[in-house]
Amino acid sequence: MTETATLSGREHATRLRADTTVEAARLTATGTPPRLAVVTATADESSAWYVRSIAKAAGKCGIHCDIADLGPDAAPAAIRDRLTELSADPAVHGIILQTPLPPGANAQELAGAIAVAKDVDGAGPLSLGRLTAGLPAFAPATAEAVVAVLDAHDIPLAGRRVAVVGRSTVVGKPTAQLLLARDATVTVAHSRTTDLAALTASADIVVAAAGRPGLITAAHLRPGAVVVDVGTNPTPDGGLTGDVDAASVTGKAAALTPVPGGVGPVTTALLLHHTVRAAATAHSAADSAA
């Protein structure tokens, strides 16, 4: 058995927030205070808690955060109209459409109403298309956080075999694109993959992003594999558990991200970092036009 290292994201998140705070102060001093808008339309308490945590973290970094709560009965047209209004508002630099949404509202379709320059969570189809094509766009923060955590712990990606378990447009697919851009050899697995364990056991790095508690066990890994657990599944006691059975893989995996404390803190830090970058771009464009 080998000792399994912990790939914490907290230290990197702290560095990101520090850089973001400095840049936010600079922009505010030049007349462009960074502003983030979060549009929500749900009564889900866990979603409300997450939105409040984003607003609190933004405030600590010197970023104004406006929460547009449209209520759980909001019509898709009303959500789209608010996103369109915010996209046209020059004082707003970043926009997040929080899920879940009311029945009949399609998150990806509605995210298309967010201007690409303000789509700080890379949720819109145009942002995702630009990411795939290698063009400038914000990547979904969770997907970028996967790569950021690996980089923070000096884990090489070029030439490595990576298995991404999960094919969502929020995590799985964009994570694969980011890894491909770093010269990794990527295979995407999903719920219909035949013999998942055989596929993941051939990988140097396994990214678990299927939303299924304890899906990845020791049987899914080769000795010495690096495992990134993106899962945030609620437990009956109010905690969180990942998609990886941590007890099972400990001693076989070379390294594992904890849940919580791994990808999550970096995701939030990146959302704020993206907002400040968007504000800086807007500020530069305004200067050029003056």
Side-chain angles (χ1 to χ4, degrees), residues 175-197:
T175 297
Q177 294 296 334
L178 291 171
L179 291 166
L180 284 169
R182 295 288 299 276
D183 298 323
T185 300
V186 184
T187 302
V188 178
H190 46 78
S191 59
R192 295 183 181 272
T193 298
T194 301
D195 198 354
L196 177 63

Side-chain angles (χ1 to χ4, degrees), residues 125-243:
L126 187 53
S127 295
L128 292 167
R130 292 180 67 86
L131 177 67
T132 300
L135 298 172
F138 291 113
T142 303
E144 187 175 342
V146 170
V147 178
V149 169
L150 292 170
D151 282 344
H153 291 276
D154 298 320
I155 294 172
L157 297 175
R160 306 294 292 279
R161 293 169 297 174
V162 183
V164 177
V165 184
R167 53 178 169 176
S168 74
T169 56
V170 178
V171 185
K173 289 178 181 177
T175 297
Q177 294 296 334
L178 291 171
L179 291 166
L180 284 169
R182 295 288 299 276
D183 298 323
T185 300
V186 184
T187 302
V188 178
H190 46 78
S191 59
R192 295 183 181 272
T193 298
T194 301
D195 198 354
L196 177 63
L199 186 150
T200 55
S202 67
D204 303 304
I205 301 170
V206 175
V207 179
R212 293 176 58 185
L215 173 65
I216 302 299
T217 68
H220 293 81
L221 305 180
R222 70 164 185 79
V226 172
V227 185
V228 180
D229 192 350
V230 189
T232 52
N233 308 290
T235 59
D237 61 0
L240 290 175
T241 188
D243 287 359

Side-chain angles (χ1 to χ4, degrees), residues 6-282:
T6 298
L7 302 180
S8 172
R10 297 191 188 280
E11 296 80 5
H12 184 60
T14 298
R15 291 192 294 270
L16 266 176
R17 288 195 302 269
D19 291 345
T20 297
T21 301
V22 170
E23 181 64 2
R26 184 189 72 81
L27 287 165
T28 298
T30 58
T32 306
R35 184 175 294 275
L36 173 67
V38 182
V39 176
T40 180
T42 179
D44 182 75
E45 180 52 37
S46 62
S47 176
W49 177 90
Y50 179 63
V51 170
R52 289 194 298 269
S53 71
I54 290 177
K56 183 178 179 180
K60 289 181 177 179
C61 290
I63 298 170
H64 297 279
C65 183
D66 302 321
I67 300 173
D69 187 352
L70 305 184
D73 298 321
I79 300 172
R80 177 177 290 276
D81 286 348
R82 182 57 63 90
L83 294 171
T84 301
E85 291 169 6
L86 291 168
S87 290
D89 186 344
V92 174
H93 306 105
I95 303 170
I96 298 171
L97 176 60
Q98 180 61 26
T99 56
L101 295 173
N106 182 289
Q108 193 167 358
E109 287 182 3
L110 289 172
I114 303 173
V116 173
K118 301 184 181 186
D119 187 10
V120 293
D121 201 17
L126 187 53
S127 295
L128 292 167
R130 292 180 67 86
L131 177 67
T132 300
L135 298 172
F138 291 113
T142 303
E144 187 175 342
V146 170
V147 178
V149 169
L150 292 170
D151 282 344
H153 291 276
D154 298 320
I155 294 172
L157 297 175
R160 306 294 292 279
R161 293 169 297 174
V162 183
V164 177
V165 184
R167 53 178 169 176
S168 74
T169 56
V170 178
V171 185
K173 289 178 181 177
T175 297
Q177 294 296 334
L178 291 171
L179 291 166
L180 284 169
R182 295 288 299 276
D183 298 323
T185 300
V186 184
T187 302
V188 178
H190 46 78
S191 59
R192 295 183 181 272
T193 298
T194 301
D195 198 354
L196 177 63
L199 186 150
T200 55
S202 67
D204 303 304
I205 301 170
V206 175
V207 179
R212 293 176 58 185
L215 173 65
I216 302 299
T217 68
H220 293 81
L221 305 180
R222 70 164 185 79
V226 172
V227 185
V228 180
D229 192 350
V230 189
T232 52
N233 308 290
T235 59
D237 61 0
L240 290 175
T241 188
D243 287 359
V244 177
D245 184 339
S248 172
V249 306
T250 297
K252 188 172 187 180
L256 171 66
T257 58
V259 176
V263 173
V266 179
T267 297
T268 302
L270 281 169
L271 285 171
L272 303 179
H273 185 64
H274 287 176
T275 300
V276 168
R277 279 176 50 196
T281 299

